[in-house]
Amino acid sequence: MKVLAVHPSGLMFTRVFLRLEPLGLEIVAGTARKAGHEVRLIDLQVECHADFHRLVRSFRPDVIAFSCNYLANVPEVIDLAKAAKHEVPRGFVFIGGHSASFTALELLEHGAGAIDCVLKGEGEAVLPAFLEAVEHDRAAVSRMPGAVTLDGEGPPPGFVASLDDSRPARDLLRHRRKYFIGVLDPCASVEFARGCPWDCTFCSAWTFYGRSYRAMSPERAVEEVASIAEPGIFLVDDVAFVHEKHGLAIGEGLARRGIRKEYYLETRGDVLLRNKDVFRFWTGIGLKYMFIGLEAVDEEGLRKFRKRIALDRNFEALEFARSLGVMVAINLIADPDWDHARFEAIRQWCQEIPEIVNISVNTPYPGTEIWRTETRPLQSLDYRLYDIQHAVLPTKLPLHEFYAELVKTQRALYRRHVGWRALVAHAGIATRNLMRGQTNYMRMLWKFDSVYDPALQLADHAREVRYAMRPPPSQIAAPVDPRALYIHPPQGRKGRASLDDASERFVDGTRMGAVAP
């Protein structure tokens, strides 16, 4: 069959700070191609809707697979699915991805017959059998693991047998030089491990993967990096190098082969402090940038988000990262109850530290624990506002003042680290990029004010809502049963077989608030 894989458009932050290759969709495309299908892939982060419509008309796919990892993309995906179904009435249209997994039934309802199925969980695990059913027995589709249709729902999704089997079809992307993160331009993405064993209340990585943690073999990881042409690599693992020996084995393998890249990764402060040796080693083979989800700068905020790491440990982690000479970016979560004084205090604190600070807005998402436990009423059920840059909970300040303070804070941090003043520090990098014909980093320098505008964010609330989210379940006094949250059923210790016993004890200790060894 002819299969078209589609990634939707980018969100606000992708228009300024980064644009990452759609690695998950590349893996799905690679799986379909390995099963013998003819596959095309289009990424609407770098192409337009007109390109999509032309491709549908010329390619005439039998199957159209949409990726929907971000809730804010839901209306776009639904509209494109309807347009595709109109153009290819006999084509089979399905949606997969992170956010689609948590909103499967409502997506089918919004689709009004244009969406044949939502495939929850890891699509590549069942994709060969799923596509065979689409081709030969469509009635069997609803019995596939993870499949949700208007006719019924299959058993829970399962995991891919081994991450070593995940082979992304990188060659299907037509504009590989369009992907970057900061000064890493161009930049590819790799995955060494999948899942997160922690359980932060604002995050849905653990509820999606059932608190599992699985790792690619070091040999396969080295092979994957060696196959990438781009000089920059973003490591998409939710938490990099939880297992120190695994991280060292990959790094040593890359060093032995003389593979030199520049790396950007995400990790936790407590992981950084526990596994100092692996991070030291990686700075020697090209680790340049690190993202740490600090989330809050006070103990109350850390408790609220169940980020069970002491504040002084977070600050200690920042000090250690500085000692490595790594550029660190941190995330803080702005709660809608912040007032003028709170924003000003955050601005002052951020000006006193060398790290790049990103400010996101506290947003309850389907699949997170706070989606079920947040007591404040949602102010909008417009999917498009659920992008961590809009306030969907009641704000203490008038909404226009909240956005003015938010953007004022973001702009001050942007100009300090990313704006034209910062260009002097990165002049050499920018020049090398331009000499290679890479302009993503340079273009982002003047985009901030046209994208982050409090008037535009306020106006977004007045847009017509054609597809409204289902409201969260009724509030209950009893604690939420985590089993009701999961997409992949938890397997306990078996699901974290890639972690050694010492790392498992460390995870449990930090997860429960105990002092880590």
Side-chain angles (χ1 to χ4, degrees):
M1 290 190 299
K2 295 194 289 185
V3 179
L4 175 60
V6 185
H7 190 283
S9 303
L11 305 184
M12 282 180 65
F13 56 87
T14 67
R15 288 151 59 190
V16 179
F17 302 109
L18 56 87
R19 187 188 303 116
L20 300 177
E21 68 170 308
L23 181 61
L25 194 62
E26 290 174 314
I27 292 173
V28 167
T31 303
R33 188 165 62 180
K34 184 179 179 182
H37 302 283
E38 182 183 356
V39 185
R40 302 279 182 88
L41 189 156
I42 184 169
D43 181 4
L44 297 178
Q45 294 181 107
V46 298
E47 300 194 57
C48 65
H49 285 188
D51 296 322
F52 166 78
H53 294 304
R54 280 193 293 269
L55 184 54
V56 171
R57 287 193 296 268
S58 62
F59 185 48
R60 307 295 296 178
D62 302 298
V63 176
I64 303 175
F66 289 94
S67 171
C68 189
N69 285 322
Y70 299 107
L71 203 63
N73 284 130
V74 164
E76 177 192 18
V77 169
I78 293 170
D79 283 340
L80 291 175
K82 289 180 176 179
K85 196 72 166 183
H86 177 76
E87 185 67 40
V88 191
R90 295 184 60 80
F92 188 91
V93 177
F94 76 97
I95 304 174
H98 191 97
S99 284
S101 296
F102 290 108
T103 57
L105 284 175
E106 58 193 275
L107 291 181
L108 292 170
E109 292 169 1
H110 291 318
I115 300 167
D116 295 292
C117 178
V118 174
L119 189 59
K120 298 195 298 185
E122 290 185 354
E124 68 267 33
V126 72
L127 194 65
F130 179 86
L131 291 177
E132 185 175 352
V134 170
E135 185 173 14
H136 299 294
D137 183 10
R138 291 196 176 184
V141 167
S142 62
R143 299 192 293 273
M144 291 284 124
V148 182
T149 72
L150 291 175
D151 295 326
E153 183 171 349
F159 288 136
V160 66
S162 169
L163 294 188
D164 286 11
D165 298 330
S166 296
R167 306 278 172 156
R170 299 182 189 274
D171 59 294
L172 293 181
L173 281 182
R174 299 196 294 178
H175 304 283
R176 291 202 60 84
R177 291 172 62 180
K178 294 288 187 180
Y179 302 101
F180 76 103
I181 179 168
V183 298
L184 294 189
D185 180 15
C187 182
S189 295
V190 298
E191 179 183 54
F192 294 158
R194 188 178 293 180
C196 181
W198 283 272
D199 57 357
C200 299
T201 62
F202 61 88
C203 182
S204 56
W206 63 281
T207 58
F208 184 88
Y209 288 113
R211 278 200 65 232
S212 64
Y213 182 86
R214 293 162 297 142
M216 182 180 286
S217 71
E219 296 77 17
R220 174 71 186 97
V222 171
E223 176 190 338
E224 184 64 21
V225 173
S227 72
I228 293 172
E230 287 83 356
I233 288 184
F234 178 69
L235 182 57
V236 303
D237 299 15
D238 291 303
V239 184
F241 306 145
V242 178
H243 187 188
E244 182 181 32
K245 291 182 179 178
H246 180 252
L248 279 172
I250 297 172
E252 289 167 351
L254 292 170
R256 281 194 300 270
R257 292 186 56 174
I259 298 170
R260 186 75 184 188
K261 304 283 187 180
E262 290 191 339
Y263 299 94
Y264 193 128
L265 59 77
E266 301 183 23
T267 195
R268 287 171 54 106
D270 46 15
V271 172
L272 178 61
L273 292 176
R274 179 180 188 263
N275 298 334
K276 289 182 177 180
D277 286 345
V278 68
F279 289 98
R280 285 195 188 98
F281 186 91
W282 273 79
T283 58
I285 61 171
L287 175 60
K288 299 294 185 182
Y289 307 93
M290 185 185 303
F291 184 89
I292 299 177
L294 211 65
E295 321 310 355
V297 294
D298 56 24
E299 296 288 0
E300 180 183 356
L302 291 173
R303 284 194 298 270
K304 180 177 181 179
F305 299 127
R306 201 157 63 215
K307 197 81 175 182
R308 293 187 175 114
I309 175 174
L311 195 61
D312 59 350
R313 292 281 285 172
N314 266 335
F315 293 151
E316 183 183 349
L318 293 181
E319 288 286 353
F320 175 66
R322 294 166 193 159
S323 75
L324 296 177
V326 173
M327 176 60 72
V328 178
I330 63 177
N331 185 65
L332 297 180
I333 299 177
D335 195 83
D337 67 5
W338 282 15
D339 57 15
H340 294 292
R342 182 62 171 167
F343 275 111
E344 178 58 30
I346 291 296
R347 283 193 293 271
Q348 291 297 324
W349 182 81
C350 292
Q351 295 294 337
E352 295 170 0
I353 63 172
E355 284 74 29
I356 299 171
V357 182
N358 175 69
I359 306 287
S360 59
V361 180
N362 186 12
T363 306
Y365 281 94
T368 65
E369 190 171 315
I370 59 174
W371 173 251
R372 294 171 176 256
T373 60
E374 176 60 64
T375 58
R376 291 171 289 184
L378 293 174
Q379 302 300 288
S380 175
L381 293 175
D382 184 351
Y383 293 98
R384 296 168 296 182
L385 298 182
Y386 286 73
D387 62 353
I388 64 174
Q389 295 302 319
H390 290 82
V392 297
L393 294 171
T395 55
K396 184 175 183 178
L397 294 171
L399 188 57
H400 71 279
E401 292 185 25
F402 177 84
Y403 282 137
E405 286 285 358
L406 176 66
V407 174
K408 179 181 178 181
T409 306
Q410 292 169 322
R411 182 179 291 116
L413 304 177
Y414 171 84
R415 287 179 174 171
R416 182 183 175 202
H417 292 286
V418 187
W420 287 105
R421 289 183 221 169
L423 180 59
V424 175
H426 296 138
I429 297 173
T431 300
R432 289 195 298 273
N433 288 346
L434 289 172
M435 291 179 67
R436 296 198 306 266
Q438 290 299 127
T439 62
N440 296 306
Y441 172 69
M442 290 296 293
R443 288 176 183 273
M444 84 175 189
L445 294 176
W446 62 78
K447 280 187 176 181
F448 182 90
D449 287 334
S450 65
V451 175
Y452 287 79
D453 183 332
L456 294 177
Q457 286 170 277
L458 185 64
D460 288 341
H461 289 259
R463 292 179 296 185
E464 177 188 5
V465 180
R466 295 177 53 229
Y467 306 112
M469 297 170 57
R470 284 186 178 180
S474 300
Q475 306 301 325
I476 56 176
V480 171
D481 180 358
R483 290 173 296 182
L485 299 172
Y486 293 117
I487 295 298
H488 286 278
Q491 301 176 0
R493 183 69 177 92
K494 178 183 176 182
R496 297 183 293 278
S498 294
L499 292 179
D500 60 7
D501 289 340
S503 296
E504 173 74 4
R505 289 193 297 271
F506 160 71
V507 168
D508 269 347
T510 53
R511 190 175 69 87
M512 301 308 295
V515 177

